[in-house]
Amino acid sequence: MKFISLLAALLFSVALSAHAAGDPTYKCITQGKVTYSDEPCVGAKIVDTTPTQGLDKTSGQSRKGADVQRVETQREMGKAMQQITGRAPEQRDKAIKRINLSLKDRQECEALDIGMVHFSTPTPEEEVELYNLRKRYKDLKC
């Protein structure tokens, strides 16, 4: 039982650190075994690792960690900036993340964004192509 709790805490911390870095977490099933990774694999599903917030047992008030507060602040800043720039908060976040990339890499990232959208429900043959797109996306640090 102690091992399972330790394993769950480890998986949660890995998922949380990956989310904090802005990287997606992938759920991979290989030879019947489920693994979670920040590296894409063939047939990977992206897992939502958004941190949750809890309630303080004594006061009933919402209790938010620093990571949740940071995400909420960034979300509000994105909404405010949308009125000025006309960009959705997600577009703003991508632009900030990619600001240090070369023009060529930024253009490739944009092409990868478009390419990956077409795979909402990929066939087994398309899984390999989607894997390659995700791998390139990660390698470029899009």
Side-chain angles (χ1 to χ4, degrees), residues 24-121:
T25 300
Y26 299 98
K27 177 180 178 181
C28 303
I29 302 175
T30 309
Q31 297 177 350
K33 294 183 180 179
V34 177
T35 58
Y36 295 89
S37 174
D38 63 339
E39 293 288 330
C41 63
V42 175
K45 303 289 183 221
I46 295 178
V47 179
D48 180 14
T49 57
T50 307
T52 58
Q53 60 187 32
L55 293 177
D56 189 311
K57 289 182 181 180
T58 57
S59 68
Q61 297 293 319
S62 177
R63 181 180 62 201
K64 300 175 186 174
D67 52 346
V68 174
Q69 291 174 353
R70 185 173 36 257
V71 167
E72 287 179 351
T73 301
Q74 289 173 347
R75 186 180 314 128
E76 291 303 315
M77 180 63 92
K79 287 179 186 176
M81 293 299 292
Q82 183 174 8
Q83 296 174 2
I84 297 168
T85 64
R87 285 186 181 175
E90 297 80 21
Q91 292 171 318
R92 177 184 166 271
D93 294 343
K94 280 184 184 180
I96 289 171
K97 186 174 181 182
R98 296 175 180 172
I99 200 149
N100 293 325
L101 296 177
S102 70
L103 177 60
K104 180 183 171 196
D105 288 349
R106 280 194 301 251
Q107 290 171 337
E108 188 173 350
C109 287
E110 289 174 15
L112 289 169
D113 286 338
I114 294 167
M116 287 190 290
V117 168
H118 298 294
F119 294 104
S120 58
T121 52

